[in-house]
């Protein structure tokens, strides 16, 4: 109306089509993921949150580990088959331990390994326990301790291994060179100083010198045996025996040997690759002497 007030009438807003519809399942999953991510950001991204408030491994767990029982096994570095040796187990926090199981690693006929409990011990005093073992036929023996605590699961120590060395007879090594008149086979038998020997080294025939050579493969560190002449040697005869390493280094040289006279040395070896055994008749011409070595053995490791 001219000259009058103009009255404006508010028009109702039009609703957007589909405003009241439920979101699709895919959209619902997206919304839920965004909501969760936002909540995590608010929780862990807050400047008030600190590493001390949310440690990855809290002080309670750290203290529990520090006070948990543990064990350490100690064995000699090397022994010889048949030797008795000590497996020592040092136990930490022994008041929490009920028993200590000393275990040895063993293999079955198929070569599968497992841990066999060889002794169960109580920690009565001091900080550890001892188990007396006997070195066996394997080249290496491995032990560990399994602690049986008063509460909680068993606790295993780190394994500890000991090398086991073995005495091998000369007959276990094939000679790659030998002169005539040398017998070193397992069936060979002779007598020396009234004692019988089988599977050792002896000589026969009319030669004045005998020699045989063997490959030890740098695995042997000691030699032992009984050196002399066989009882078939003539009265008044004499002989000598030498053992060479690598064909040149004299590791053993006997004094003159005669019937009824023997030498039983224990000879250290510098792990030679090859050795030679040389026997020499030092008697006057026409006098028979037959050098021999009874129970000639080598202490070796690594043939298993």
């Amino acid at each position: 109306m001219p000259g009058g007030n103009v009255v404006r009438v508010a028009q109702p807003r039009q609703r957007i089509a589909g405003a009241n519809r439920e979101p699709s399942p895919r959209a619902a999953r997206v919304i839920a993921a965004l909501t969760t991510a936002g909540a995590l950001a608010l929780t862990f991204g807050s400047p008030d949150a600190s590493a001390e408030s949310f440690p990855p491994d809290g002080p309670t767990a750290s203290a529990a580990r520090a006070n948990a029982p543990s064990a350490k096994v100690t064995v000699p570095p090397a022994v010889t088959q048949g030797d008795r040796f000590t497996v020592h187990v040092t136990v930490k926090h022994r008041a929490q331990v009920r028993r200590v199981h000393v275990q040895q690693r063993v293999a079955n006929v198929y070569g599968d390994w497992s841990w066999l409990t060889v002794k169960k011990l109580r920690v009565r005093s001091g900080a550890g326990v001892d188990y007396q073992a006997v070195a066996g036929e394997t080249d290496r023996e491995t032990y560990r301790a399994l602690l049986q605590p008063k509460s909680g699961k068993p606790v295993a120590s780190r394994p500890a291994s000991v090398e086991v060395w073995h005495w091998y007879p000369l007959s276990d090594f094939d000679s790659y060179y030998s002169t005539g008149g040398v017998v070193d086979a397992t069936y060979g038998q002779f007598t020396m100083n009234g004692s019988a020997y089988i599977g050792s080294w002896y000589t026969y025939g009319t030669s004045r010198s005998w020699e045989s050579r063997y490959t030890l493969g740098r695995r042997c560190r000691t030699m032992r045996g009984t050196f002399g002449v066989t009882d078939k040697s003539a009265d008044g005869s004499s002989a000598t025996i030498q053992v060479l390493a690598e064909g040149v280094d004299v590791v053993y040289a006997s004094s003159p040997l005669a019937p009824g006279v023997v030498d039983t040395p224990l000879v250290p070896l510098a792990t030679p690759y090859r050795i030679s055994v040389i026997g020499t008749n030092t008697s006057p011409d026409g006098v028979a002497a037959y050098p021999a070595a009874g129970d000639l053995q080598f202490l070796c490791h690594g043939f298993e």
Side-chain angles (χ1 to χ4, degrees), residues 136-261:
E137 297 180 354
T138 60
D139 270 358
R140 182 174 297 275
E141 294 188 0
T142 302
Y143 293 87
R144 77 172 185 180
L146 186 67
L147 303 183
Q148 302 291 337
K150 295 179 180 178
S151 63
K153 297 181 179 179
V155 179
S157 71
R158 290 176 180 246
S161 296
V162 53
E163 284 187 355
V164 182
W165 291 66
H166 312 276
W167 286 105
Y168 293 92
L170 180 68
S171 57
D172 280 2
F173 304 91
D174 293 330
S175 60
Y176 67 91
Y177 169 83
S178 182
T179 62
V182 173
V183 179
D184 58 3
T186 55
Y187 58 80
Q189 183 174 356
F190 65 95
T191 58
M192 179 172 61
N193 195 28
S195 298
Y197 296 89
I198 299 176
S200 295
W201 187 91
Y202 72 97
T203 59
Y204 68 93
T206 59
S207 297
R208 301 285 296 180
S209 181
W210 300 263
E211 180 182 2
S212 53
R213 302 172 186 172
Y214 308 86
T215 300
L216 302 185
R218 303 196 185 283
R219 297 175 179 176
C220 306
R221 67 182 186 185
T222 310
M223 178 187 75
R224 69 182 182 186
T226 302
F227 296 86
V229 294
T230 69
D231 288 345
K232 291 185 178 182
S233 301
D235 292 336
S237 64
S238 64
T240 60
I241 297 177
Q242 281 188 325
V243 179
L244 307 182
E246 319 305 356
V248 293
D249 299 326
V250 179
V251 297
Y252 170 74
S254 74
S255 56
L257 303 168
V261 177

Side-chain angles (χ1 to χ4, degrees), residues 19-303:
N20 291 331
R21 293 181 182 177
E22 293 292 332
S24 66
R26 180 179 180 182
R29 289 195 298 271
V30 173
I31 293 171
L34 293 174
T35 303
T36 303
L40 290 173
L42 289 174
T43 302
F44 295 102
S46 170
D48 294 334
S50 63
E52 187 175 359
S53 301
F54 300 94
D57 192 5
T60 302
S62 299
R65 279 199 307 272
N67 295 323
S70 61
K72 179 181 179 181
V73 175
T74 305
V75 294
V79 294
T80 301
Q81 180 179 350
D83 286 352
R84 296 184 66 87
F85 65 96
T86 299
V87 179
H88 180 70
V89 182
T90 302
V91 181
K92 187 177 180 181
H93 301 298
R94 63 181 180 85
Q96 302 180 34
V97 177
R98 190 183 307 276
R99 283 184 181 274
V100 177
H101 291 191
V102 180
Q103 296 185 323
Q104 183 178 359
R105 193 182 181 203
V106 296
N108 60 20
V109 293
Y110 302 105
D112 300 322
W113 293 95
S114 62
W115 289 102
L116 173 68
T117 298
V118 293
K119 192 70 174 180
K120 298 179 181 179
L121 301 167
R122 289 185 180 274
V123 187
R124 300 186 181 278
S125 62
V129 294
D130 290 334
Y131 167 67
Q132 298 300 316
V134 178
E137 297 180 354
T138 60
D139 270 358
R140 182 174 297 275
E141 294 188 0
T142 302
Y143 293 87
R144 77 172 185 180
L146 186 67
L147 303 183
Q148 302 291 337
K150 295 179 180 178
S151 63
K153 297 181 179 179
V155 179
S157 71
R158 290 176 180 246
S161 296
V162 53
E163 284 187 355
V164 182
W165 291 66
H166 312 276
W167 286 105
Y168 293 92
L170 180 68
S171 57
D172 280 2
F173 304 91
D174 293 330
S175 60
Y176 67 91
Y177 169 83
S178 182
T179 62
V182 173
V183 179
D184 58 3
T186 55
Y187 58 80
Q189 183 174 356
F190 65 95
T191 58
M192 179 172 61
N193 195 28
S195 298
Y197 296 89
I198 299 176
S200 295
W201 187 91
Y202 72 97
T203 59
Y204 68 93
T206 59
S207 297
R208 301 285 296 180
S209 181
W210 300 263
E211 180 182 2
S212 53
R213 302 172 186 172
Y214 308 86
T215 300
L216 302 185
R218 303 196 185 283
R219 297 175 179 176
C220 306
R221 67 182 186 185
T222 310
M223 178 187 75
R224 69 182 182 186
T226 302
F227 296 86
V229 294
T230 69
D231 288 345
K232 291 185 178 182
S233 301
D235 292 336
S237 64
S238 64
T240 60
I241 297 177
Q242 281 188 325
V243 179
L244 307 182
E246 319 305 356
V248 293
D249 299 326
V250 179
V251 297
Y252 170 74
S254 74
S255 56
L257 303 168
V261 177
V262 294
D263 186 24
T264 57
L266 187 66
V267 182
L269 302 176
T271 59
Y273 180 66
R274 286 175 169 172
I275 64 159
S276 305
V277 182
I278 303 172
T280 304
N281 181 356
T282 58
S283 309
D285 290 341
V287 179
Y290 303 113
D295 292 337
L296 188 55
Q297 299 176 339
F298 298 88
L299 184 62
C300 310
H301 177 269
F303 285 117

